[in-house]
């Protein structure tokens, strides 16, 4: 029974991480497109929050693939920091 619970939790976490990374990546692309068209923008706080909420890899890839926010030091520092934090947390969890 405990093994099944762990498998379900693992599956849930993986699904969450996939979704939040897709959302982070898409948010960077959408915000880039909106910036070109001078439309409504996604707040920078939201983009950073998505990264720290688990979407660091997607947000980081989106930042460089779409060439968006690459000159903003806040993003250049915080997105890799969030990614490193997630890698470190994954390492700690996987050791147990």
């Amino acid at each position: 029974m405990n093994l099944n619970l762990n498998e379900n939790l693992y599956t849930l976490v993986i699904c969450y991480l996939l979704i939040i990374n897709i959302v982070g990546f898409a948010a960077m692309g959408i915000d880039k497109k909106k910036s070109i068209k001078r439309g409504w923008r996604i707040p920078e706080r939201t983009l950073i929050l998505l990264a720290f909420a688990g979407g660091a890899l997607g947000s980081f890839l989106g930042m460089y693939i779409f060439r968006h926010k690459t000159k903003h030091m806040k993003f250049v520092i915080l997105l890799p920091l969030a990614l490193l934090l997630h890698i470190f947390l994954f390492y700690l969890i996987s050791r147990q």
Side-chain angles (χ1 to χ4, degrees):
M1 173 120 173
N2 192 18
L3 183 62
N4 192 23
L5 179 63
N6 286 340
E7 288 176 10
N8 289 340
L9 183 60
Y10 176 77
T11 302
L12 185 64
V13 168
I14 294 299
C15 288
Y16 171 78
L17 289 174
L18 284 172
I19 291 168
I20 196 74
N21 277 286
I22 290 168
V23 169
F25 182 81
M28 284 297 207
I30 291 167
D31 195 53
K32 173 67 175 194
K33 188 174 184 179
K34 296 288 185 175
S35 72
I36 292 170
K37 293 185 175 189
R38 304 270 186 223
W40 170 86
R41 303 285 302 278
I42 299 171
E44 288 185 350
R45 182 183 310 174
T46 302
L47 296 173
I48 292 170
L49 180 63
L50 283 170
F52 276 93
L57 181 60
S59 297
F60 183 75
L61 290 174
M63 183 172 78
Y64 284 100
I65 288 172
F66 299 117
R67 294 188 185 128
H68 187 52
K69 304 285 188 190
T70 56
K71 294 182 181 177
H72 295 251
M73 289 308 293
K74 180 184 334 186
F75 285 87
V76 171
I77 293 169
L78 289 178
L79 293 188
L81 181 65
L83 183 57
L84 288 173
L85 175 67
H86 293 147
I87 291 169
F88 179 68
L89 290 173
F90 181 78
Y91 169 74
L92 289 178
I93 292 169
S94 68
R95 289 183 59 203
Q96 295 180 356

